[in-house]
Amino acid sequence: MPRSIWKGSISFGLVQIPVALYPAEEPDELHFTQLDRRTMAPIRYERVNRETGEPVSWDDIVRGYPYEKDEYVVLSDEDLRRANVEATQTVDILDFVDASEIDPMYYDKPYFLAPASQNGKKRSPVTAYVLLREALRKTGKVGIAKVVIRTREHIAAVRPHGRGLVLNLLRFAHELRSDEELDLPEMDAKGKGLGKRELEMAERLVAEMATAWEPEKYKDEYRDDVMKLIEKKVKSGRTTAPAEPVEEERERRATGTVDLIALLKKSLGQKGAKAANDEAKNGAKNDRPAPEEGGKSRARKAETPKRKGGSSRRAA
């Protein structure tokens, strides 16, 4: 069973639900060691006293807040807990809101909330826990709460998830940047060179690619490729020689305009591409100006491939 990082209670109204907080994610990141390229020796980073230059052990390190230049107030874990005992031990639900109203940009990090024993006694009844879970599930609401984890207060969403409750840390509004400072296109797509035909083809492509959400089918392919490269280097014995920098492919750089219709046709597949091609042809016919009198034969003649040496250009 995973180890809890926090124990306290969920509080809403007069209800107190003893809970424990557990990490709900397990990042699978690649960790690299920095090396001296001349000798391939690992680089060591030390905790050093800035004045004496001597190393400092973890036991001798304390937490200090600078209130003036070179002047600090030392705070221990007990000091931080005593600052607001109730806040450090409570998921305090302030409001209930519709889950659909929370912009996904606010979601940060998930934790599991599980029923916990109270005052060291036997496991407490889970009636209140189940009551909150089912009330949230049936109403479609999430609880907006404040909680202190380690040394920081967070805003969070308490929501049902399967048989349990999840506490999702949220970002405060002031932590999100506004897109006003970016040069973004207006909401009106008509004025941006997009016609009805392009939009219909894009919508059809989205419909063709639509499927049920299955998170298990998405894999970290980049990590797998890096691990294969590492294994290949180990097998070949090239474990220490740094590779020469590879020049980035020029094809990946954006040059010139994009033929959106052509890309959409290619993406739609044979059936969709054929239909889109027919639409494009019909549109071209409608947009083509009427030929001048006497110019009909010249247009046909220009469309006929020239022959060279008694054979067609295709044969050449």
Side-chain angles (χ1 to χ4, degrees), residues 28-30 220-228:
D28 189 16
E29 300 177 358
L30 289 172
D220 187 351
E221 296 179 357
Y222 178 75
R223 184 187 187 281
D224 294 340
D225 291 340
V226 172
M227 290 305 301
K228 288 178 183 177

Side-chain angles (χ1 to χ4, degrees), residues 73-316:
V73 173
V74 175
L75 295 171
S76 66
D77 291 340
E78 183 61 23
D79 289 330
L80 294 173
R81 192 188 70 82
R82 282 203 307 260
N84 190 333
V85 175
E86 184 177 354
T88 59
Q89 296 179 331
T90 307
V91 177
D92 190 13
I93 296 179
L94 309 174
D95 302 291
F96 291 99
V97 304
D98 287 338
S100 59
E101 290 183 3
I102 302 178
D103 190 317
M105 287 187 67
Y106 282 94
Y107 283 102
D108 187 8
K109 193 171 185 178
Y111 290 91
F112 289 123
L113 285 168
S117 58
Q118 191 174 22
N119 298 327
K121 298 180 181 179
K122 64 179 181 179
R123 193 177 184 83
S124 59
V126 295
T127 304
Y129 182 93
V130 174
L131 180 65
L132 177 59
R133 184 191 69 193
E134 294 307 305
L136 294 176
R137 192 189 311 280
K138 290 183 180 298
T139 60
K141 304 286 187 181
V142 297
I144 302 301
K146 284 193 173 183
V147 59
V148 173
I149 299 177
R150 298 186 176 93
T151 61
R152 183 186 171 190
E153 183 176 67
H154 300 266
I155 186 172
V158 178
R159 58 185 183 84
H161 180 79
R163 295 182 299 137
L165 292 171
V166 166
L167 178 111
N168 254 112
L169 297 187
L170 302 176
R171 298 178 177 91
F172 285 100
H174 69 268
E175 294 179 312
L176 289 176
R177 289 183 173 180
S178 171
D179 61 6
E180 294 296 327
E181 59 192 63
L182 302 177
D183 184 17
L184 301 176
E186 299 298 329
M187 293 295 292
D188 183 15
K190 293 181 180 179
K192 298 302 175 182
L194 294 179
K196 182 179 179 182
R197 187 164 69 250
E198 290 94 335
L199 186 57
E200 288 177 350
M201 291 171 67
E203 291 175 353
R204 193 185 315 156
L205 176 59
V206 171
E208 282 192 8
M209 296 179 66
T211 184
W213 168 237
E214 298 177 21
E216 294 80 10
K217 79 175 186 179
Y218 303 100
K219 308 297 181 183
D220 187 351
E221 296 179 357
Y222 178 75
R223 184 187 187 281
D224 294 340
D225 291 340
V226 172
M227 290 305 301
K228 288 178 183 177
L229 177 62
I230 291 173
E231 293 171 2
K232 185 177 179 181
K233 279 181 171 285
V234 171
K235 289 180 180 179
S236 66
R238 297 183 293 109
T239 58
T240 59
E244 293 297 324
V246 180
E247 186 178 355
E248 187 174 350
E249 296 180 10
R250 293 182 181 179
E251 290 80 2
R252 294 188 180 183
R253 297 177 182 175
T255 56
T257 58
V258 177
D259 189 345
L260 188 58
I261 288 288
L263 292 176
L264 288 171
K265 287 180 190 175
K266 192 172 182 179
S267 302
L268 279 168
Q270 291 185 353
K271 184 177 180 180
K274 184 177 183 302
N277 193 36
D278 293 340
E279 289 182 12
K281 285 182 178 179
N282 293 333
K285 288 180 180 179
N286 295 333
D287 295 339
R288 186 182 302 165
E292 296 180 3
E293 188 175 346
K296 196 170 185 180
S297 60
R298 283 197 298 272
R300 288 181 178 175
K301 186 177 181 180
E303 293 172 359
T304 304
K306 296 180 180 179
R307 297 180 179 270
K308 187 176 180 181
S311 61
S312 67
R313 183 176 297 175
R314 183 180 300 176

